[in-house]
Amino acid sequence: MAASEQVEVELKFDVDPGHVAPDLRALPGVVSATAPETFSLDATYFDTENLDLAGNRITMRRRTGGTDQGWHLKRPTDIPGTRRELHVGFDEAPADGDVPEALVTPVLALTRCRPLTPVAVISTTRTVTRLLGVDDEPLAELAEDLVTTQSLLPGGHSQQWAEWEFELLSGGTGKLLKAADKVLRAGGGRSSSSASKLARAIGSTPTVHKPRLSKRPTALELVITDIAMHRNSLIAYDPLVREDAEDAVHQMRVSCRRLRSVLSGYPTVLDAERTAHIGAELKLLARILGDARDSEVQLELDQFLLRGENASPELLAALAGAETRTHDRAIRAAHAAMSSKRYFTLLDSVDALLASPPPGPDAELPATDVVDKAIAKSRKHIRKAQAELAGLTEGSDEWQEQLHTIRKRAKRLRYSIDATEPLNKKKYRAIGAVAKKIQSALGDHNDIRINRAQLATIVEDGKLSAADMFIVGRLDARLEAASDRAVAEYRKAAKDL
């Protein structure tokens, strides 16, 4: 289904009904304005029973009338005053049909298995004036709206008000926006009392809980703050993974691992028995995402190695072609998992944990005491693994696996220290920097080991020409040298742990 997306940059003002907007033709860059044109817009807004969309400042609607009638999904961005708008026309998704999949998929991590139903109807009489620049370039649009709403929620009521919306178009600039804000306020506009028409129509809505630490936080406060942060990160990357955006799989996987590391790294802060199932499900989700991420890493490594090489189509197919197919299968598997009831149940469980955290025996201890204990324990585990490594033959399978164990333990330490960031303690950051160096070096070593094994398999097949075999040999030598450098970097970093 075809869907178009744009970023909205707009100002909103409350005004008295019938108040005439000021003339904006004197704004910087404006050469002329179109004659005012009036439209009748009728919109039905959709949400879950829990108002999961409205609570996250998201609106989903079906609107008739105007120049962009159709289905719309509006989501906030990281930039104040802007929103992403996804639009599907009625030619793609009929007005009398269900909400189109193109609008549902980006918010599945919020709506999950809950049905979308109408929550409000809003009718708007809109008078639009477009501001034009040189050569009639569209700069901005002023909409003078008279709004009538009816909430469809239990106990809902009707309202009517007037507002102005000033939206930048393709040729508009921040300078124009700033000047318009000044002129419209001087002309009778007041700061909008609500973020959107829907928010005003249905009243207060539940919002994402963002816990804050007290001056002397308890261990439970710290853990819940971190869980909330990583939960929100996971939700944010979910739609990006669904559209296979660059680096999205990696970032969502990291969010899963960090969520799990908070639970496993501080097991006495929350009731371990009541949170064990969340940790197990996060581990599974991270593994599924990991399959897609690992294939991405191998693809990038293959492409880097083959750059500048006169490789035959057969060698390209053996390396990049096979890895591309592996990646495509892994992405499909990840998408299937992320559309399953099991995944949505996991997200519900994390939300329930945040809403009512089950305290463990150390919940009320000072956060720094519990952090110090967890870091000391994690460092001890790494040192034990390093001592075992020293007794193994370098380069053996057992030695390689032990390096992998050290990498995983360093990663666990790093994530545990990342959880202390709200405490703003320099001593924790220093240890975390060392753990990151160890993890990064051994991660590179492990990726190279996998890639060299892939090259060995290609050689064993015996299907390549002598010229390609020579290239494979050169690639393997480069990988071997890179592996040696990674191990050297690990050993250098390990001295500071």
Side-chain angles (χ1 to χ4, degrees):
M1 178 178 295
S4 60
E5 188 170 43
Q6 63 182 23
V7 175
E8 272 188 349
V9 183
E10 67 178 14
L11 304 169
K12 289 173 64 70
F13 302 93
D14 288 343
V15 294
D16 295 328
H19 189 79
V20 179
D23 189 343
L24 301 180
R25 287 177 292 179
L27 291 177
V30 176
V31 174
S32 63
T34 62
E37 190 174 3
T38 301
F39 303 94
S40 294
L41 313 175
D42 293 294
T44 301
Y45 286 76
F46 295 81
D47 208 333
T48 64
E49 183 181 9
N50 299 336
L51 300 178
D52 295 296
L53 300 183
N56 286 274
R57 298 189 297 125
I58 296 173
T59 58
M60 179 185 288
R61 74 186 179 205
R62 176 189 61 217
R63 189 170 75 182
T64 59
T67 57
D68 65 343
Q69 65 177 358
W71 298 87
H72 303 86
L73 179 70
K74 293 190 177 186
R75 292 173 284 170
T77 72
D78 295 332
I79 304 172
T82 67
R83 289 200 293 174
R84 295 172 60 191
E85 180 177 344
L86 192 65
H87 174 251
V88 177
F90 288 143
D91 54 338
E92 295 283 345
D96 57 356
D98 295 332
V99 179
E101 184 179 351
L103 267 60
V104 174
T105 299
V107 294
L108 272 176
L110 295 171
T111 60
R112 300 166 197 175
C113 296
R114 296 181 279 273
L116 292 163
T117 57
V119 295
V121 291
I122 299 180
S123 297
T124 303
T125 300
R126 167 167 292 181
T127 300
V128 175
T129 302
R130 178 166 288 196
L131 305 180
L132 306 175
V134 176
D135 296 329
D136 290 337
E137 180 183 22
L139 303 180
E141 195 171 80
L142 175 67
E144 301 172 73
D145 291 347
L146 180 61
V147 185
T148 302
T149 71
Q150 175 63 55
S151 170
L152 303 180
L153 301 176
H157 59 284
S158 61
Q159 300 180 66
Q160 189 175 74
W161 70 87
E163 64 182 30
W164 295 337
E165 290 185 2
F166 182 87
E167 181 180 352
L168 289 184
L169 300 178
S170 57
T173 64
K175 182 179 179 181
L176 174 61
L177 192 73
K178 186 175 181 179
D181 182 64
K182 184 176 181 179
V183 170
L184 290 170
R185 288 184 185 277
R190 303 181 298 273
S191 295
S192 180
S193 58
S194 190
S196 67
K197 292 180 174 63
L198 175 65
R200 188 163 176 175
I202 64 178
S204 61
T205 58
T207 56
V208 176
H209 183 51
K210 296 182 179 179
R212 294 185 179 181
L213 295 182
S214 60
K215 289 185 178 180
R216 295 178 179 171
T218 65
L220 183 61
E221 284 182 85
L222 178 63
V223 164
I224 291 303
T225 297
D226 280 308
I227 289 175
M229 179 174 62
H230 299 316
R231 175 267 184 202
N232 292 343
S233 178
L234 190 153
I235 295 292
Y237 281 109
D238 175 288
L240 298 177
V241 172
R242 294 179 191 277
E243 63 187 51
D244 205 12
E246 184 178 358
D247 203 40
V249 169
H250 171 56
Q251 295 300 334
M252 186 173 177
R253 181 195 191 189
V254 168
S255 298
C256 287
R257 286 179 161 176
R258 284 181 168 166
L259 259 175
R260 182 169 171 255
S261 73
V262 174
L263 298 175
S264 61
Y266 302 96
T268 57
V269 176
L270 293 169
D271 187 324
E273 288 188 9
R274 294 172 63 184
T275 58
H277 69 289
I278 296 179
E281 291 297 280
L282 286 169
K283 181 179 182 180
L284 174 61
L285 178 59
R287 183 183 65 75
I288 293 171
L289 292 170
D291 290 341
R293 174 56 183 167
D294 291 346
S295 61
E296 280 183 352
V297 170
Q298 292 304 312
L299 264 175
E300 291 168 3
L301 187 53
D302 288 340
Q303 291 165 357
F304 171 76
L305 289 171
L306 290 170
R307 198 172 299 150
E309 296 285 356
N310 189 24
S312 70
E314 289 76 19
L315 179 54
L316 292 173
L319 279 171
E323 204 61 64
T324 297
R325 291 190 294 274
T326 299
H327 176 68
D328 291 344
R329 287 195 300 270
I331 283 292
R332 287 195 296 270
H335 290 173
M338 291 166 57
S339 298
S340 68
K341 185 176 180 180
R342 186 170 183 173
Y343 171 64
F344 298 141
T345 299
L346 167 61
L347 297 181
D348 286 341
S349 297
V350 174
D351 287 350
L353 174 65
L354 290 170
S356 182
D362 292 343
E364 296 306 315
L365 291 178
T368 51
D369 290 357
V370 175
V371 168
D372 287 341
K373 181 180 177 182
I375 290 176
K377 182 179 179 181
S378 189
R379 292 174 80 180
K380 181 179 178 181
H381 285 171
I382 295 174
R383 288 168 180 154
K384 181 181 178 181
Q386 289 172 328
E388 293 174 3
L389 178 72
L392 299 173
T393 301
E394 184 168 338
S396 66
D397 290 343
E398 294 81 2
W399 184 82
Q400 299 280 10
E401 284 303 317
Q402 192 64 14
L403 280 181
H404 188 51
T405 297
I406 294 171
R407 181 183 73 86
K408 289 190 292 184
R409 292 183 181 181
K411 179 170 58 181
R412 191 175 301 128
L413 171 60
R414 176 192 169 191
Y415 286 167
S416 293
I417 292 175
D418 284 349
T420 71
E421 191 59 33
L423 299 176
N424 196 29
K425 299 287 186 180
K426 185 181 293 185
K427 66 175 182 177
Y428 298 143
R429 284 199 287 269
I431 300 171
V434 175
K436 182 177 181 180
K437 288 179 181 177
I438 292 174
Q439 177 199 344
S440 179
L442 294 184
D444 289 344
H445 171 76
N446 190 60
D447 292 337
I448 291 168
R449 181 165 66 114
I450 294 171
N451 203 261
R452 292 187 72 190
Q454 181 187 20
L455 292 180
T457 300
I458 293 172
V459 170
E460 289 172 4
D461 286 343
K463 298 179 180 178
L464 297 180
S465 66
D468 280 341
M469 289 288 284
F470 182 78
I471 291 174
V472 169
R474 185 162 54 235
L475 298 183
D476 186 68
R478 289 166 58 190
L479 288 171
E480 183 178 19
S483 177
D484 291 342
R485 288 194 298 271
V487 172
E489 289 170 6
Y490 151 68
R491 286 174 170 151
K492 181 179 178 181
K495 295 177 181 178
D496 298 325
L497 188 63

